[in-house]
């Protein structure tokens, strides 16, 4: 398997309150959004909040794929793959409000 890399972004989960995205930072605030409010603002903000979870699900899929390359018949691969697909489906379902 490939080594995991450390991310520079604030780890999730992130939460949206009003126009501000909060997470695990010293101030609690990650960013305040200042763009105009229209029908896509809420959906775009929601997608930004889910960025850490979407990234995690993609990394997990790649990890499952590495197991496949090592031994596609192993129980480790099957377990990873089931969990990876579950995480990917859950992240996509949350993102598509």
């Amino acid at each position: 398997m490939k080594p995991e890399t450390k991310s520079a972004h604030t780890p999730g989960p992130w939460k949206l309150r009003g126009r501000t995205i909060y997470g695990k930072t010293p101030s609690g605030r990650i960013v305040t959004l200042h763009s105009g409010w229209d029908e896509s603002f809420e959906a775009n903000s929601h997608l930004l909040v889910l960025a850490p979870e979407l990234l995690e699900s993609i990394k997990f899929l790649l990890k499952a794929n590495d197991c496949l390359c090592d031994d596609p018949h192993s129980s480790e691969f099957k377990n990873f793959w089931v969990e990876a697909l579950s995480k990917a489906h859950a992240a996509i379902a949350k993102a598509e409000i």
Side-chain angles (χ1 to χ4, degrees):
M1 280 192 249
K2 296 176 184 157
E4 290 192 29
T5 57
K6 190 91 169 145
S7 296
H9 71 275
T10 303
W14 295 357
K15 302 288 181 197
L16 178 67
R17 280 186 246 134
R19 292 178 169 262
T20 303
I21 296 175
Y22 294 91
K24 297 175 184 174
T25 65
S27 71
R29 183 177 49 214
I30 295 172
V31 67
T32 299
L33 307 169
H34 293 286
S35 65
W37 192 275
D38 61 17
E39 62 276 353
S40 63
F41 182 87
E42 185 176 357
N44 292 337
S45 324
H46 186 70
L47 190 57
L48 286 169
V49 166
L50 290 171
E53 188 173 341
L54 292 166
L55 178 61
E56 178 189 338
S57 69
I58 291 167
K59 284 182 174 182
F60 208 86
L61 281 168
L62 292 175
K63 191 173 182 179
N65 187 63
D66 288 344
C67 288
L68 170 64
C69 294
D70 292 341
D71 181 4
H73 302 293
S74 73
S75 61
E76 180 185 18
F77 164 71
K78 290 175 186 166
N79 292 338
F80 265 117
W81 194 246
V82 168
E83 188 174 351
L85 290 176
S86 176
K87 286 179 180 248
H89 284 294
I92 290 168
K94 286 181 184 178
E96 293 181 332
I97 60 170

